Amino acid sequence: TEFGQISSGSTLYHLTGSGQAGAVLHDGTSGENSIVTGTCSIEVQVGQNSTPAWGGSFDMSNGDGDSLSFSVDYSTQGGQIGSDGKMSLSSLSSYSMSLNNTTYGESSITYRTFEGQLIRPSSGLSVSAVAGEFSFEHGTATSASGAFGADLQ
């Protein structure tokens, strides 16, 4: 695959960038949905047969005091990259969701998904951006579902 060529190639890519993130927070008790928006900062390393890894921070909020923030540590390979260029989440280094004056931490997450993709320009073997989606569930009632995208350089 093209990502395999980048991963095993002689160039080590250590890329950083920032972009947008947003999520819908769902309060299962009240049935209310709340939209939060904000930024993400992403760091990716791939190439020279190193273990591909990513990390980043995601910070979203709204004017009502609702928020979702989480981070992934690149140096401990909290974010992994498969041989197909797909990003996955191995571990969180921090997590906090605040919804309707209730705060939820990482310990209350009962299910999570994270799917991202490295994006390359139309020509050449490099990586120019990332995009993906995530979800976190707290029991059967409360959840966060969102998406992100960032240019890398």
Side-chain angles (χ1 to χ4, degrees):
T1 67
E2 292 170 344
F3 181 75
Q5 291 175 341
I6 294 170
S7 183
S8 64
S10 61
T11 302
L12 179 65
Y13 294 95
H14 188 106
L15 307 167
T16 59
S18 60
Q20 302 296 310
V24 175
L25 310 183
H26 176 73
D27 185 333
T29 304
S30 68
E32 179 181 327
N33 288 327
S34 178
I35 296 173
V36 292
T37 59
T39 61
C40 63
S41 297
I42 307 284
E43 178 179 17
V44 169
Q45 180 172 298
V46 63
Q48 289 184 339
N49 286 315
S50 66
T51 301
W54 72 273
S57 61
F58 302 76
D59 296 297
M60 297 153 273
S61 62
N62 65 22
D64 296 328
D66 301 326
S67 63
L68 174 65
S69 297
F70 62 95
S71 61
V72 178
D73 188 359
Y74 152 82
S75 65
T76 61
Q77 296 182 350
Q80 299 178 341
I81 304 171
S83 60
D84 54 1
K86 293 191 184 299
M87 301 164 63
S88 62
L89 178 62
S90 176
S91 62
L92 292 165
S93 56
S94 68
Y95 178 91
S96 179
M97 181 176 82
S98 180
L99 178 60
N100 293 331
N101 298 314
T102 301
T103 300
Y104 302 86
E106 182 180 1
S107 64
S108 68
I109 296 173
T110 54
Y111 182 75
R112 69 179 187 209
T113 62
F114 187 100
E115 296 181 12
Q117 180 69 50
L118 299 179
I119 301 168
R120 66 174 197 84
S122 58
S123 63
L125 288 177
S126 63
V127 176
S128 62
V130 296
E133 56 190 23
F134 54 84
S135 68
F136 301 98
E137 294 179 9
H138 299 269
T140 58
T142 302
S143 63
S145 298
F148 68 95
D151 290 329
L152 299 175
Q153 42 184 310

